[in-house]
Amino acid sequence: MAAGRERAARLLRQLQRAACRCPSHGHTYSQVPEQAALGNTDYAFEMAISNIRYGEGVTKEIGMDLQNLGARRVCLMTDRNLSQLPPVKAVLNSLAKYGINFQMYDKVRVEPTDQSFLDAIAFAKKGEFDAYVAVGGGSVIDTCKAANLYASSPMSDFLDYVNAPIGKGKPVTAPLKPLIAVPTTAGTGSETTGVAIFDFKKLKVKTGIASRAIKPILGIIDPLHALSMPERIVANSGFDVLCHALESYTALPYKMRSPCPSNPISRPAYQGSNPISDVWALHALRIVAKYLKRAIRNPEDREARASMHLASAFAGIGFGNAGVHLCHGMSYPISGLVKTYKPKDYNVDHSLVPHGLSVVLTSPAVFAFTAQVLPERHLEAAGILGADIRTARIKDAGFILADTLRKFLFDLNVDDGLAAIGYSKADIPELVKGTLPQERVTKLSPRPQTEEDLSALFEASMKLY
């Protein structure tokens, strides 16, 4: 009897030793030692985008969307010009049809500031909304993102979520209310991204908030809204799409970005070029090459304007995860230090350099500079934009792309460099000073830059032609 029990115990011990020890089947699991990290660069990227709905007249569905969300108190954000135009009227008709209770905030500032953000935030906190709708360009959508964020995290200081080193750059952990974005311009791609940009008046520089948590839950892309855009707004919006695509495709590869986050919540929204963003960036660039000039020159060209509306979202998916670099980093002080420039077709009561214009004016100089790294990508981009690269030398990639961009801009009557919008060489130190805090984007440049490099890039951008 005892011998039988001993044999049974021995058999059980053998079975236990032979048993599968993987987490799925074993009763115990001990952590496998991690391999030592090679350096401190990241090893992963992740994609985060909003749901997108596209189609002529699709705005009429927004009332149903809010009804489906169970929204009882909705904040509708726009600007004063748009509040009288067809896109907002289409949204209002849908809200009325489906009995949606809402309050409208129409004080959004074109090229928002920290103060205009704070004004919208105060409205959102007071309203205690359970959903948001943004109807407009990037200024409106970004303002609505900020209002939703700080109303959902009412005890937070404004600088808590602003990008470092200007703000604290804290991760967003508070649950936000659903936000639906209805873009009326074909440029920012803000309906797809977790980024909100504003002009920080104290420092005379643009900065922003970047977190996947603030992206809209839905972007409603209705090409009918693109038909009412004036020529220069179409152009400047399109230049933003162009640079989003070019910068995200030529950005530092994600495996070269540092530091590697210790927790995935700290992985930045802008992660460097990656295989998925590359697809969207190149697709957007091809659409820009084919349709932007047509969209600018002929407001009745529905195909061109609808295509650019989609290209904006495509580029947004690309740069919203890969990031942008020097054109955008240098554009923020160009916009922030504006003197007296007022662009054609913008009905505003203050001086401003439209975002897309501030970005594209430095693009020839920037890509001539960055092409020393990843020259193949720069040459490929030049080919997409119309350059004959069949016999081109790879070492000439930057010059070829720069010349291609200059010709593109000249054909579209773009201001002849920074001097044409009010800047001179005397302004370069302040422009460089305003670029230095933009590390969130400048560090994604494939080629590191010194203050002397930035000075040279601004000087080269004073005159384009």
Side-chain angles (χ1 to χ4, degrees), residues 230-296:
E231 175 193 314
R232 281 296 98 187
I233 293 179
V234 175
N236 292 325
S237 300
F239 298 148
D240 202 17
V241 179
L242 170 66
C243 288
H244 284 158
L246 286 172
E247 290 175 72
S248 61
Y249 189 58
T250 59
L252 187 76
Y254 77 95
K255 285 188 176 181
M256 296 176 66
R257 182 186 52 75
S258 62
C260 181
S262 58
N263 186 310
I265 197 173
S266 300
R267 181 166 284 116
Y270 287 0
Q271 303 160 89
S273 60
N274 61 76
I276 300 178
S277 286
D278 289 350
V279 173
W280 294 101
L282 287 176
H283 190 47
L285 192 60
R286 291 187 181 100
I287 296 173
V288 169
K290 183 176 181 179
Y291 289 111
L292 179 55
K293 290 181 181 180
R294 283 173 48 183
I296 294 170

Side-chain angles (χ1 to χ4, degrees), residues 73 123-130 132:
R73 191 173 176 84
F123 180 86
K125 286 181 176 179
K126 184 177 179 181
E128 299 182 345
F129 302 108
D130 58 8
Y132 292 80

Side-chain angles (χ1 to χ4, degrees), residues 110-111 335 338 340-343 346 348 350-355:
V110 178
E111 303 296 335
S335 294
V338 61
T340 60
Y341 185 78
K342 288 187 179 181
Y346 287 75
V348 292
H350 55 276
S351 299
L352 73 90
V353 180
H355 174 63

Side-chain angles (χ1 to χ4, degrees), residues 329-445:
M330 294 170 67
S331 80
Y332 297 142
I334 292 171
S335 294
L337 294 167
V338 61
K339 299 175 182 179
T340 60
Y341 185 78
K342 288 187 179 181
K344 179 186 174 186
D345 293 338
Y346 287 75
N347 184 16
V348 292
D349 59 2
H350 55 276
S351 299
L352 73 90
V353 180
H355 174 63
L357 180 61
S358 70
V359 168
V360 84
L361 288 177
T362 63
S363 63
V366 163
F367 291 111
F369 173 80
T370 58
Q372 286 190 14
V373 186
L374 307 175
E376 298 86 357
R377 290 190 171 219
H378 289 70
L379 193 59
E380 182 183 5
I384 291 171
L385 291 173
D388 184 353
I389 60 172
R390 288 173 296 180
T391 59
R393 298 181 300 179
I394 195 69
K395 68 178 184 179
D396 295 330
F399 300 111
I400 294 170
L401 180 53
D403 286 344
T404 303
L405 287 167
R406 284 192 194 93
K407 183 178 185 304
F408 195 84
L409 300 181
F410 182 80
D411 288 348
L412 291 171
N413 302 311
V414 175
D415 301 81
D416 188 10
L418 298 179
I421 62 171
Y423 289 104
S424 69
K425 290 183 180 179
D427 297 308
I428 289 177
E430 280 299 304
L431 291 167
V432 172
K433 181 181 177 182
T435 304
L436 293 176
Q438 310 301 331
E439 295 179 357
R440 177 181 65 93
V441 293
T442 57
K443 285 191 172 182
L444 286 173
S445 168

Side-chain angles (χ1 to χ4, degrees), residues 195-211:
V195 179
I197 302 298
F198 65 93
D199 185 3
F200 195 65
K201 299 296 285 184
K202 180 180 178 182
L203 298 179
K204 294 184 178 180
V205 70
K206 280 191 182 292
T207 183
I209 302 162
S211 170

Side-chain angles (χ1 to χ4, degrees), residues 79-330:
D79 64 49
R80 284 206 172 95
N81 291 331
L82 274 167
S83 65
Q84 306 301 317
L85 296 177
V88 171
K89 290 180 179 178
V91 170
L92 292 174
N93 287 340
S94 185
L95 299 184
K97 181 177 180 180
Y98 293 97
I100 303 298
N101 178 35
F102 72 94
Q103 290 185 39
M104 185 161 75
Y105 179 87
D106 64 358
K107 299 178 183 178
V108 170
R109 188 182 193 271
V110 178
E111 303 296 335
T113 66
D114 50 336
Q115 189 54 55
S116 73
F117 265 19
L118 288 168
D119 188 69
I121 290 165
F123 180 86
K125 286 181 176 179
K126 184 177 179 181
E128 299 182 345
F129 302 108
D130 58 8
Y132 292 80
V133 174
V135 187
S139 296
V140 172
I141 299 172
D142 287 4
T143 300
C144 199
K145 290 174 183 175
N148 186 11
L149 171 60
Y150 289 97
S152 300
S153 183
M155 303 307 293
S156 296
D157 181 75
F158 180 68
L159 289 177
D160 281 351
Y161 300 121
V162 174
N163 298 323
I166 292 173
K168 298 175 184 176
K170 290 183 177 179
V172 176
T173 55
L176 272 63
K177 301 297 189 290
L179 189 164
I180 299 175
V182 185
T184 58
T185 60
T188 67
S190 187
E191 69 276 8
T192 71
T193 73
V195 179
I197 302 298
F198 65 93
D199 185 3
F200 195 65
K201 299 296 285 184
K202 180 180 178 182
L203 298 179
K204 294 184 178 180
V205 70
K206 280 191 182 292
T207 183
I209 302 162
S211 170
R212 296 175 188 85
I214 68 172
K215 70 181 186 301
I217 64 164
L218 174 64
I220 293 181
I221 302 174
D222 188 335
L224 293 179
H225 300 333
L227 298 178
S228 58
M229 281 193 294
E231 175 193 314
R232 281 296 98 187
I233 293 179
V234 175
N236 292 325
S237 300
F239 298 148
D240 202 17
V241 179
L242 170 66
C243 288
H244 284 158
L246 286 172
E247 290 175 72
S248 61
Y249 189 58
T250 59
L252 187 76
Y254 77 95
K255 285 188 176 181
M256 296 176 66
R257 182 186 52 75
S258 62
C260 181
S262 58
N263 186 310
I265 197 173
S266 300
R267 181 166 284 116
Y270 287 0
Q271 303 160 89
S273 60
N274 61 76
I276 300 178
S277 286
D278 289 350
V279 173
W280 294 101
L282 287 176
H283 190 47
L285 192 60
R286 291 187 181 100
I287 296 173
V288 169
K290 183 176 181 179
Y291 289 111
L292 179 55
K293 290 181 181 180
R294 283 173 48 183
I296 294 170
R297 291 167 175 164
N298 183 7
E300 303 302 318
D301 191 335
R302 296 171 74 103
E303 179 187 12
R305 291 211 165 184
S307 295
M308 284 303 302
H309 215 32
L310 263 183
S312 176
F314 294 161
I317 296 169
F319 92 86
N321 292 280
V324 287
H325 55 83
L326 285 181
C327 293
H328 273 75
M330 294 170 67

